[in-house]
Amino acid sequence: MKKFHTIIQKQLLRWYDANKRDMPWRQTNDAYKIWLSEIILQQTRVEQGLPYYNKFVNKYKNVKAFANANESEILKLWQGLGYYSRARNMHAAAHQVVEWHNGIFPANYDELLKLKGVGEYTASAIASIAYGLPHAVCDGNVFRVLSRLNANDTPINSTEGKKVFFHLAQSLLNHQFPSQHNQAMMELGALVCKPTNPLCGQCPINTFCVAHQKNTIDKFPVKSKKQKSTVIYLHYFVFEYKGHTYMQTRKGKGIWQGLHDFPHVEYTGKEISPEQSIQRIQHTLAIGKMDVIKISQEYKHILTHRIIIAKFIQCTLHKPIDTKKYSLIKIKKAEINKLSLPRLIEKYYIKELQ
Ligand code: SF4
């Protein structure tokens, strides 16, 4: 086995040297930049993540600058990537690095794990890529490669699967070159061992791949059935009074905490009519008379275990709303996009208000 591993490691590195995509985070071993790139790449594909990475690196040259930024500024730069809790966690982690480690990411896996939003994957990536420590990374690409390479049918999205594949990744790790090895595994999954139609003919490790040899690639990786999603219905109210509208800052611990959206009525599991929502919002915000101008089409937003279905109801008011009493922000419609917005509101704004 050990002998096979050594050959696989060598072939992987040779392939990676010749085929890797040229990305700015591959030209550095600055832990701050590795951390930024890894968190962004958990959210999106490399091509879409690149402009975000560049925006962050250009605006905040180091982790101290990142920690000193306003959270709203960070959320604004993050806009479009979704899961804003990641951006908020990054801000908290930057503070921890400054306060606990004098502005230098620790060269220690366990210490990295203590940082907010840094899980096993990110800690391994920073430890191996920035500091050359022998920790294997296991992202979705690596899970897929390992599942096929070993024809292992443990579901990759199960707790058991995470253990099994982490163990396989760690035992295959090249301890001499952990950074290149980890990046090679991820790159192989992204470019060759793709989810559909993998390019096995070009794969540097195809002679060792059990699924390829047995012609059973389409059986791997195995995923256990998904948990059913909860459907949330939102009726957003886009009020208009003398050229202004009203927005609110999301409070609490939800995924949109700190972002801005319109006043709304929300239902879980069952939709009610816009008329019922109108009555409710009129009562809640003491609006009195208003004219409904337009009810939008449905806007859908899919999260891991939730589907949000929103409609936007445009209304003209006859008197202003008491912003202080209801914690609202009065803003010109044209300026909404200056605020940090959930993707759903941004989509609506681009389509119907710009
Ligand atoms: S041979 Fe095919 S299935 Fe096996 S690791 Fe390579 S690309 Fe993936």
Side-chain angles (χ1 to χ4, degrees), residues 145 148-149 188 192-193 198-200 203 205-206 209 211-212 217:
V145 172
R148 290 172 175 168
L149 182 64
L188 186 75
V192 177
C193 194
L199 310 171
C200 300
C203 177
I205 54 175
N206 56 12
C209 178
H212 177 58
I217 292 160

Side-chain angles (χ1 to χ4, degrees), residues 274-336:
E275 290 70 29
Q276 285 171 288
S277 294
I278 289 167
Q279 274 183 11
R280 189 174 292 188
I281 201 95
Q282 276 179 307
H283 176 74
T284 312
L285 298 180
I287 284 171
K289 224 173 154 213
M290 67 183 194
D291 304 312
V292 176
I293 308 297
K294 190 179 168 192
I295 299 178
S296 77
Q297 59 172 82
E298 278 183 0
Y299 283 77
K300 214 181 225 185
H301 190 59
I302 299 176
L303 299 161
T304 317
H305 299 304
R306 272 179 291 177
I307 299 173
I308 297 173
I309 298 177
K311 279 186 186 160
F312 293 82
I313 303 172
Q314 269 179 270
C315 311
T316 309
L317 300 178
H318 289 217
K319 64 176 174 84
I321 305 177
D322 186 338
T323 48
K324 221 170 172 188
K325 185 168 177 190
Y326 299 109
S327 306
L328 296 175
I329 302 163
K330 192 172 157 196
I331 184 168
K332 284 185 184 152
K333 273 193 193 168
E335 291 179 354
I336 290 174

Side-chain angles (χ1 to χ4, degrees), residues 4 23 40 52 59 68 91 97 99 111 119 124 135 172 180 212 219 232 248 256 266 284 287-288 301 312 335 338 349:
F4 285 158
M23 293 297 162
I40 290 171
Y52 283 92
K59 182 132 195 190
N68 286 337
H91 198 211
V97 172
E99 283 159 28
E111 289 301 315
S124 296
H135 293 275
L172 184 60
Q180 289 90 331
H212 177 58
K219 305 231 174 331
I232 294 169
Q248 59 189 7
W256 290 343
E266 178 176 331
T284 312
I287 284 171
H301 190 59
F312 293 82
E335 291 179 354
K338 288 185 183 163
Y349 176 80

